[in-house]
Amino acid sequence: MQELLNNIKQCTICKDHLPLGPNPVVSAHKNSKIVIIGQAPGTKVHASGIPWDDASGRQLRTWLNVTDQEFYNPEHFAIIPMGFCYPGKGKSGDLPPRQECAPQWHELLLQQMPKVELVILIGMYAQKYYLKEKAKQTLTKTVKDFKTYLPYYFPLPHPSPRNRFWLSKNPWFEVEVLPELRRKVKGLM
């Protein structure tokens, strides 16, 4: 596993498309039980090299009901983004994750983690990649139908502060989804 992580950290497969250059952010361990697959690091995470080291990460840890220490223990959580490096700025936020990373590295990582029991799919890119045709037409429908994907996959919206409007429009998320997410996470830790 360590050799694979070192190879990922040295990856430059899409360096010509990265405005801040490559700085792959990933965390995993052969004993990881839960995998979090998000989008791609933002500028703050690119600078620190620590996954989910921003407001979105704080919100995610609240949703999971875990401490920073628990979250950053790779034996509990492997953190594997769809794109390992900051992709750049778009018109309404960051650009989508680079498409080279997941096909290049995800399967190799998951093969090294035989104890994984839950894969949390954060956002549309992760959900479409892993759920394929089983993903609903919209992220909202996929998240609302989260029980369909259990026990292995758990789809979530992105915990970005920009999603406050989505959260206020979908109060069922906090009532129906978060308690089940917390129960599953606590059971695996």
Side-chain angles (χ1 to χ4, degrees):
M1 174 62 89
Q2 196 53 52
E3 182 181 344
L4 177 57
L5 290 171
N6 289 339
N7 289 340
I8 293 170
K9 296 274 187 187
Q10 296 170 27
C11 180
T12 59
I13 194 169
C14 60
K15 69 179 178 181
D16 294 338
H17 304 283
L18 302 173
L20 301 180
N23 184 20
V25 177
V26 61
S27 174
H29 190 279
K30 65 179 181 161
N31 294 329
S32 299
K33 295 176 188 164
I34 302 168
V35 176
I36 296 173
I37 300 180
Q39 295 182 170
T43 54
K44 185 171 182 189
V45 170
H46 174 86
S48 73
I50 300 169
W52 294 98
D53 180 29
D54 55 15
S56 297
R58 287 189 292 280
Q59 181 64 54
L60 177 59
R61 291 187 286 283
T62 298
W63 286 357
L64 298 170
N65 195 30
V66 296
T67 65
D68 289 0
Q69 185 177 6
E70 290 167 329
F71 184 78
Y72 288 112
N73 179 345
E75 291 193 43
H76 291 310
F77 294 97
I79 302 171
I80 304 171
M82 289 299 294
F84 291 94
C85 298
Y86 172 66
K89 201 77 166 151
K91 289 180 183 174
S92 61
D94 292 342
L95 290 172
R98 295 291 313 165
Q99 295 180 4
E100 296 89 344
C101 298
Q104 179 73 29
W105 300 114
H106 281 210
E107 188 176 335
L108 294 171
L109 280 163
L110 291 169
Q111 287 172 357
Q112 297 284 322
M113 296 184 287
K115 296 182 180 182
V116 170
E117 293 186 47
L118 180 65
V119 178
I120 299 171
L121 301 171
I122 298 176
M124 176 182 63
Y125 300 108
Q127 291 163 17
K128 288 197 180 294
Y129 188 84
Y130 279 92
L131 301 178
K132 301 191 184 337
E133 69 281 344
K134 292 179 183 173
K136 307 293 185 217
Q137 284 183 312
T138 66
L139 176 135
T140 301
K141 288 178 181 178
T142 300
V143 172
K144 190 161 180 76
D145 203 25
F146 73 96
K147 289 182 181 175
T148 300
Y149 310 106
L150 292 174
Y152 193 69
Y153 292 117
F154 205 118
L156 294 178
H158 196 282
S160 168
R162 291 182 176 169
N163 277 347
R164 284 186 297 249
F165 180 70
W166 187 92
L167 291 168
S168 67
K169 241 177 87 171
N170 297 286
W172 51 265
F173 177 73
E174 289 192 19
V175 175
E176 299 170 27
V177 179
L178 288 186
E180 182 66 19
L181 175 67
R182 291 170 177 161
R183 187 188 68 72
K184 288 215 42 101
V185 166
K186 184 176 182 180
L188 290 171
M189 291 177 46

